[in-house]
Amino acid sequence: MSRFEGVSVTVTGAAGVLGMAVAQAFQAEGASVTGIDIVETETPFPLCKADLIDFEDARRVMREIGRINVLANIAGGFTMGDTVETTSNETWDFMYNLNARTVFNTVRAVVPQMVERQRGKIVNVGALNALSGVGRMAAYSASKSVVIRLTESLAEELKSKHINVNCVLPSIIDTPRNREDMPKADFSTWVTPQAMAKVVLFLASTDADPIHGAALPVTGLA
């Protein structure tokens, strides 16, 4: 029997490189996968369109999906280049909304049903750069640090209800966009989306039942 046979998994940001890898990894392990994204594209699993920055839309799409045993919050993004004093309100809000508010909204929409069943797994995506401030990355680092604190708070609130909440902290993921932005880097030291997906699946599995509130660095050789 496959590890996630009969398990209903929802993956946010499922049209992106990492989200697609995570969704396909769950599917290969027998899960019933539903993706969520703000864009529409062809996927080998059902993909629902929703704006997760809008709580009402997040709640709407979660109700339409129905039972969710595992929520993988992969939606997010990255921008850099501005110093703190030159960071605009637009950039700050964009990073906060994309990386933190989407997680905040999805968990608020999903946790009640998990509490009712007294079972569930939530895996969020933070970032290694969320552990300390980095020059010209303040908005990104701050938004991802919020994800870590949300993960820890949720884990403390939900562990007695047999709901695990953890997050992964990738360094640099080997995506076409990152290769384009950093063409002189040694790509072999980066973490592949498929390797990241394996870590997400571990945290969503019964093997991770004793783990609550972890922020797990996934750095490859970088």
Side-chain angles (χ1 to χ4, degrees):
M1 183 176 179
S2 298
R3 186 164 45 154
F4 291 97
E5 194 74 37
V7 176
S8 176
V9 177
T10 294
V11 179
T12 72
V17 175
L18 180 57
M20 184 76 72
V22 169
Q24 290 179 312
F26 273 116
Q27 197 170 46
E29 293 261 13
S32 174
V33 176
T34 303
I36 301 174
D37 211 297
I38 198 168
V39 301
E40 296 177 300
T41 188
E42 291 293 323
T43 58
F45 46 83
L47 183 68
C48 301
K49 184 176 182 180
D51 179 4
L52 298 178
I53 295 172
D54 180 342
F55 175 59
E56 291 305 322
D57 208 27
R59 187 160 59 176
R60 184 244 342 141
V61 74
M62 298 306 180
R63 285 174 173 169
E64 290 177 0
I65 292 170
R67 178 175 60 91
I68 298 173
N69 302 119
V70 174
L71 172 65
N73 274 316
I74 311 299
F78 171 77
T79 188
M80 70 172 293
D82 297 327
T83 60
V84 172
E85 74 269 18
T86 60
T87 297
S88 66
N89 289 339
E90 290 75 19
T91 295
W92 183 269
D93 291 345
F94 176 67
M95 281 290 89
Y96 180 84
N97 285 333
L98 191 60
N99 292 323
R101 191 175 295 279
T102 54
V103 174
F104 181 53
N105 285 342
T106 55
V107 296
R108 287 193 293 163
V110 170
V111 163
Q113 60 160 283
M114 290 183 173
V115 169
E116 185 176 353
R117 290 194 307 274
Q118 295 286 291
R119 181 67 61 183
K121 304 278 187 179
I122 299 173
V123 184
N124 301 321
V125 177
L128 194 66
N129 284 334
L131 296 177
S132 60
V134 179
R136 295 185 178 273
M137 294 176 61
Y140 174 75
S141 296
S143 66
K144 285 296 191 179
S145 71
V146 172
V147 175
I148 298 175
R149 299 289 89 83
L150 278 173
T151 298
E152 293 167 343
S153 295
L154 272 168
E156 188 64 27
E157 293 165 359
L158 298 175
K159 62 184 181 181
S160 64
K161 300 174 177 62
H162 310 289
I163 300 168
N164 298 77
V165 188
N166 296 288
C167 67
V168 293
L169 307 180
S171 52
I172 304 175
I173 302 174
D174 189 0
T175 66
R177 174 63 185 272
N178 284 339
R179 288 191 175 210
E180 181 181 335
D181 289 345
M182 293 170 275
K184 296 181 180 180
D186 181 357
F187 307 143
S188 67
T189 66
W190 294 355
V191 180
T192 67
Q194 292 72 29
M196 278 294 311
K198 290 180 180 180
V199 180
V200 172
L201 264 65
F202 163 69
L203 289 175
S205 73
T206 56
D207 290 339
D209 279 354
I211 303 174
H212 300 274
L216 181 62
V218 186
T219 61
L221 301 176

